[in-house]
Amino acid sequence: MNHASWRSIFDAYRLDEHDFSQSPRIITADEIKQATAHFRRTAEKEVRILCKQDSREERPAVFQQKGLFILPVKNGEYAIIQGEGYVDIPQIQSPVQTYRYGLDFPLETSLVGNSEMQHLDFAFASSLIRSFLVQSARFEIAA
């Protein structure tokens, strides 16, 4: 969980003294690399790995103790922010609906490989995303 690496980063830049309730703290990939250079294992010093905190439980101890989360700002720059950066997705109660798209041609790119991006591209090209958002907006307006 990279607890030691983040403790090292917090110590190197005195982040315990930062008032996160007043403002986020921007930290760069270079700062993270410098503060973790003494670690031996890649997982303990690789910025991409250290900044991947996909769930509440994956946050390092210092983030959990202080109620913080991290967001990428741009390539090589991250914001450490106070607050709740995660959302519990509610269970879907409605039955499964089949989406039928009306393209007059096959999307050949959707037939090659099996990646997440490929599925997102197909959902966009076939208007699935648009249809979903329009349908969701109707439910929001009616609610």
Side-chain angles (χ1 to χ4, degrees):
M1 293 265 192
N2 305 311
H3 301 296
S5 299
W6 276 105
R7 183 73 261 164
S8 182
I9 294 164
F10 267 68
D11 291 345
Y13 300 108
R14 299 167 43 184
L15 298 181
D16 287 315
E17 298 172 19
H18 183 80
D19 186 355
F20 289 97
S21 69
Q22 294 298 311
S23 65
R25 168 57 159 85
I26 302 297
I27 189 163
T28 67
D30 288 338
E31 287 176 311
I32 294 170
K33 288 177 189 176
Q34 289 173 5
T36 59
H38 63 282
F39 287 98
R40 292 180 179 248
R41 293 182 25 234
T42 301
E44 296 173 313
K45 58 185 179 179
E46 173 63 40
V47 175
R48 176 184 55 81
I49 295 170
L50 292 173
C51 293
K52 182 180 181 297
Q53 300 175 17
D54 291 339
S55 68
R56 290 178 185 95
E57 298 75 29
E58 288 182 20
R59 293 177 302 155
V62 70
F63 280 78
Q64 292 182 29
Q65 292 160 359
K66 296 182 176 295
L68 303 173
F69 67 100
I70 192 165
L71 286 175
V73 175
K74 63 181 181 180
N75 194 17
E77 194 172 287
Y78 302 86
I80 301 174
I81 301 171
Q82 183 179 40
E84 179 59 38
Y86 303 89
V87 174
D88 293 320
I89 299 172
Q91 288 287 349
I92 298 172
Q93 302 297 323
S94 62
V96 174
Q97 296 178 19
T98 301
Y99 175 73
R100 303 206 191 288
Y101 63 94
L103 294 176
D104 296 335
F105 54 89
L107 288 173
E108 293 181 14
T109 57
S110 68
L111 303 174
V112 180
N114 191 22
S115 71
E116 180 179 323
M117 195 65 226
Q118 182 180 23
H119 292 286
L120 289 171
D121 285 342
F122 179 80
F124 179 77
S126 67
S127 290
L128 173 60
I129 294 173
R130 183 191 57 76
S131 297
F132 173 78
L133 292 174
V134 168
Q135 187 77 12
S136 297
R138 285 188 197 132
F139 287 123
E140 288 296 320
I141 293 169

